Structure formats: structure tokens, C-alpha cells
Amino acid sequence: INVLDVVGVVEHIINGDGSMLDCADANGDGMLNILDVVVIVDMILSASGDERTADASSAILEKGANGLNVNANGFIGGIQITLSHDSDFSLEVTDKAMVSDYRTDGTSTTLIVVVPEGEEVFTSNGDYTIEEVIVANSEGEVTDVEISNVVDSFALGSAYPNPFNPSTTVELSVAEAGFVSVNVYNVMGQLVQTLAEGQMEANVYSLTWNASDVPSGMYFVKAESAGNIATQKLMLVK
């Protein structure tokens, strides 16, 4: 049993291939996922006599505009994450790990990082949503897992879907508390709808525009706060 076995199991997991279930279901739960990988990793590390820190009992996934980090209070054996995103989303998984790999199928990505050596899980370009996550130590799943949004700038994320009909959603990142306005304008610069206006705390907000009452065409969503301006082009196709 060595790292080649870990690579083989990871490849089967991210490709959704259940053919290795009988031989790779290391914890005997009838499923093939990161929990089986960490059992195999523990066999390898124990056989080599490697010393490691105590197992993590909690972890925070820090979701930023350009990627994802993990902050844990001990040893992390592996992380398995399923993301949803738009078609132009791209990512690069950290290479500072025993094994790391991912597979994208349309607007869904499954990634695995085994024994990460640092906090970085992946860097990315584009908006994404974490649909499912499993964080494991050497004994099994870490149940105390929190997802935290890290906001370091005032920005609008890519609208999804775009083009759209009749609704689309855009994420607004507010780095500092203050008065914020978010408005939709047509190509003539006329105000079409106000999505948000008022005092906001530093956070990430999801704003949805239902354009069922306006005609097809190009529109612009504009966010303003304390001299900061962010814009996004929208295409309504009915």
C-alpha cells in the first residue's frame, strides 16, 4: 500500500467510477469517498513511522473571490468538495498535498485534496457555490465544518445565469460596512430597478433580479458604496 493506491482511488472517486468499491471501501460503509482515502493514508503514514499533529476536530473553509482556504485545528487527512458554477469557471487545485485532483463536468466540479500541507485548497477564476463538502482527519469525518465568506474588496460577481430569462442572481461583496446602492439600468442609462439600497455590513450578499416585466435586451447592474463602483453587464433573452 503506497501513494499509487491513493492516486488510483482518488481518480475513481472524481470520475464517479464505482468499479473499485469492493477493494477500496476501506471503512466498509458501502461508499467510495475521501473517508476511504484517509484510511489508506493512515496505513501508509503509520507504516512509515511519520509523526503528525493531533487530529483536527473542527475546520473553517474560507471562501474568497479567488479561491478557497481551509483553516483547521489539527491534522487534515483529506478534503472532498463538490462545486457548482457557470461554464467559464476555472480552478487550479493546490499541489502542496500528497495527492490533489479534480474533474469538471459541465457546471459541476468534484475535487479532492489529500493531506494538504498548507491552508490553500484551490485558486479560481469565477463565482462558485459549495454544494457538498467532506473534511476528514485520520479517524473519519470532521463534523464541525464551517464555511466562511472572506471579503477583501467591494465587487460584483458574475451574474448567473447570463444570458437569462426571466431571473438572474449576482453576488455583491461588501468589504466595509456602509451605505450601498445596487441599481439596474438599460442601455439609455435609465433606472429600471433598485436591487438594494441602504446600510450594509461587511459580507457577501446574493441579489436576484426578476426581469419578467421588461423587454429583452442588454442591461447593466451598478453597485456603489463610498466612492467604489462595480458594474456587470446583463443580457435578457425572452
Side-chain angles (χ1 to χ4, degrees):
I1 299 177
N2 55 35
V3 70
L4 299 179
D5 300 295
V6 176
V7 172
V9 176
V10 167
E11 182 179 350
H12 279 258
I13 294 172
I14 64 173
N15 285 294
D17 182 358
S19 63
M20 287 186 66
L21 180 62
D22 289 342
C23 62
D25 183 15
N27 64 359
D29 64 356
M31 297 182 292
L32 193 59
N33 56 31
I34 190 65
L35 301 179
D36 301 296
V37 175
V38 297
V39 172
I40 299 171
V41 168
D42 189 55
M43 294 177 187
I44 297 170
L45 296 181
S46 297
S48 65
D50 286 358
E51 294 184 3
R52 57 178 181 267
T53 58
D55 277 339
S57 59
S58 64
I60 300 174
L61 296 178
E62 299 172 341
K63 181 178 182 290
N66 299 307
L68 183 75
N69 289 354
V70 60
N71 192 331
N73 64 350
F75 174 77
I76 291 294
I79 305 169
Q80 179 177 333
I81 303 175
T82 301
L83 308 174
S84 61
H85 47 74
D86 55 25
S87 57
D88 60 356
F89 174 81
S90 62
L91 63 78
E92 184 173 343
V93 182
T94 180
D95 59 0
K96 296 181 179 178
M98 177 183 286
V99 178
S100 59
D101 204 354
Y102 74 96
R103 180 177 185 269
T104 297
D105 184 8
T107 58
S108 179
T109 294
T110 299
L111 66 95
I112 289 178
V113 177
V114 181
V115 192
E117 297 176 6
E119 293 185 355
E120 182 183 288
V121 179
F122 64 82
T123 57
S124 61
N125 182 17
D127 297 328
Y128 63 91
T129 300
I130 298 175
E131 299 293 348
E132 183 178 14
V133 59
I134 302 174
V135 178
N137 55 30
S138 67
E139 297 294 328
E141 185 172 0
V142 177
T143 56
D144 185 6
V145 177
E146 176 185 346
I147 299 175
S148 174
N149 290 311
V150 178
V151 183
D152 54 12
S153 63
F154 182 79
L156 280 173
S158 299
Y160 183 80
N162 191 25
F164 69 100
N165 179 31
S167 298
T168 188
T169 299
V170 61
E171 282 194 348
L172 171 67
S173 298
V174 179
E176 297 181 2
F179 184 86
V180 179
S181 66
V182 184
N183 297 303
V184 178
Y185 299 89
N186 61 22
V187 293
M188 302 296 293
Q190 299 168 321
L191 177 64
V192 175
Q193 187 167 339
T194 297
L195 301 183
E197 189 171 64
Q199 192 73 16
M200 288 187 174
E201 298 300 318
N203 207 335
V204 176
Y205 298 87
S206 182
L207 306 175
T208 298
W209 179 37
N210 187 326
S212 57
D213 295 332
V214 298
S216 298
M218 184 181 299
Y219 295 87
F220 298 88
V221 57
K222 181 179 181 181
E224 296 182 81
S225 178
N228 297 304
I229 299 176
T231 60
Q232 179 77 220
K233 184 189 297 183
L234 307 174
M235 180 61 70
L236 174 61
V237 180
K238 293 187 175 180

